[in-house]
Amino acid sequence: MLDRLADFFLQSGFDSGYWGEWQDEDETLENLRQAIMQALLEDDLLTDQELDELSDDSGNINYELMAELIDRLIQRLVEEGYINIDEPAANTGHPPGSRQGKAGKKSDRPVKFEITDKGLDFLGYKALKDLIAPLGKSSIGRHDTRHLSTGVESSEASRPYEFGDSLNLDVNSTLRSAIGREGLGVPINLEYCDLMVNQTEYQSSCATVLMLDCSHSMILYGEDRFTPAKRVALALTQLIRTQYPGDSLKVVLFHDSAEEIPLSRVAQVKVGPYHTNTSEGLRLARRLLLAQRKDMRQIIMITDGKPSAMTLPDGRIYKNPMGLDPRILKETFSEVALCRRSSIMINTFMLADDYYLVDFVKKVTQICQGKAYFTTTMSLGQYILMDYVRRRTQKIH
């Protein structure tokens, strides 16, 4: 059921119209009930016997019985820790989400729910599984390099100890060195030069900022482009936590301005009537990455539009949605150049193929020596995950 509700939990304002900002009207209990009913009736989650039990003598759905089933499912989601409901259960004597019980004053505020961290983990796992599955066998693991380091696990030949190494002694090699130098005798006299340490493969860590364009164009032209981007964010989170525990991931939304959001908020954010302030997003991402002590730093930018806004020195937002404004382009390219000087790679995933946008992305790629991918919502996740897993190793090599 939770898998079937993924689109509902991750919706991005595609049906909210132009002024569908980051509102939480979709996170009401009544909307959740409607989504569960749709999943039950349209996704073949009920057997023929269960459908018969929920139908009346004429073969139509008995909506009272259906409502009771939906309430039990919502209660199960709450008990399993996938969602939270802000309705107090003590006043009614019934579990949260129940339609029973009429005691107490009816609240004018609709009952809201929120997906929990456990629910986000599940959605992230499913997104990662769905994105990796079409790729076949994949060598997902830590970012291996050609360099060696000293560590706890021994996988290579030992070498003489140097100041700063992890003191993971290769006891046999250390004793052989001392015996070979002074001969067999008791006690064995160890010198500094006798110390030998185990070597393991050096594995690098990576700091990543995922920049998501949440301007209005991400839901225009009859296509929801923001929901797949949110799925990628959840899948990347799951991948990093399970396969690259030394890595870090932060999410930056850029619109008229830019802001960092916690990963726990990714499922709730929506697009709005915004322009695209790419330079401010890059500026914030660069600051976040410079605060990370990692071997590699990268920005993954998902966008479908041209930069159409910039932040002026006095804090005001300058906007120009008509064409590519030279002033805005100059500010954007300046931020790209600063990222390159800070050894930050920018990988751009463009969800559009207009000529002038392609030219803009190529210029960004040329300045930062990063990569550009012109993809669709159907292949966005595969491109990003494969780039994250494989390209970072190639960069180090």
Side-chain angles (χ1 to χ4, degrees), residues 2-3 6 9-10 82 115-133 228-242 249 263 266-267 385:
L2 196 64
D3 185 28
F9 287 133
L10 298 176
Y82 291 115
I115 189 167
T116 64
D117 290 342
K118 181 179 179 181
L120 286 175
D121 286 342
F122 177 84
L123 294 179
Y125 166 76
K126 291 293 295 182
L128 178 62
K129 183 178 178 181
D130 292 342
L131 293 176
I132 290 295
K230 293 200 293 184
R231 288 183 183 274
V232 169
L234 293 175
L236 268 179
T237 303
Q238 187 74 16
L239 177 67
I240 289 174
R241 183 166 55 248
T242 57
L249 174 66
L263 293 171
V266 169
L385 289 183

Side-chain angles (χ1 to χ4, degrees), residues 140-198:
I140 295 181
R142 295 172 179 83
H143 304 289
D144 295 327
T145 72
R146 295 178 181 178
H147 307 291
L148 299 177
S149 69
T150 57
V152 177
E153 297 180 359
S154 176
S155 60
E156 302 292 337
S158 58
R159 64 166 175 79
Y161 171 80
E162 297 178 359
F163 179 77
D165 289 341
S166 300
L167 196 58
N168 181 29
L169 287 179
D170 183 344
V171 177
N172 293 335
S173 297
T174 299
L175 292 178
R176 281 198 300 268
S177 176
I179 293 173
R181 180 175 48 80
E182 294 197 349
L184 184 60
V186 178
I188 297 176
N189 183 26
L190 291 178
E191 299 287 347
Y192 184 89
C193 60
D194 296 324
L195 299 179
M196 302 291 290
V197 290
N198 291 315

Side-chain angles (χ1 to χ4, degrees), residues 1-2 4-5 32-48 50-51 54 61 65-74:
M1 172 60 69
L2 196 64
R4 296 297 201 282
L5 294 175
L32 177 59
R33 287 194 180 99
Q34 295 296 327
I36 292 177
M37 179 178 291
Q38 183 178 357
L40 290 174
L41 297 179
E42 298 181 4
D43 293 347
D44 298 327
L45 295 181
L46 297 174
T47 64
D48 292 339
E50 290 169 334
L51 283 174
L54 293 172
I61 294 294
L65 295 177
M66 178 67 75
E68 293 177 1
L69 172 61
I70 292 174
D71 285 338
R72 292 199 301 270
L73 289 173
I74 292 177

Side-chain angles (χ1 to χ4, degrees), residues 11-12 22 226 230 253 261 265-271:
Q11 56 189 315
S12 304
W22 299 337
F226 194 61
K230 293 200 293 184
L253 300 179
I261 63 168
R265 264 196 62 205
V266 169
Q268 285 77 37
V269 295
K270 295 177 173 61
V271 299

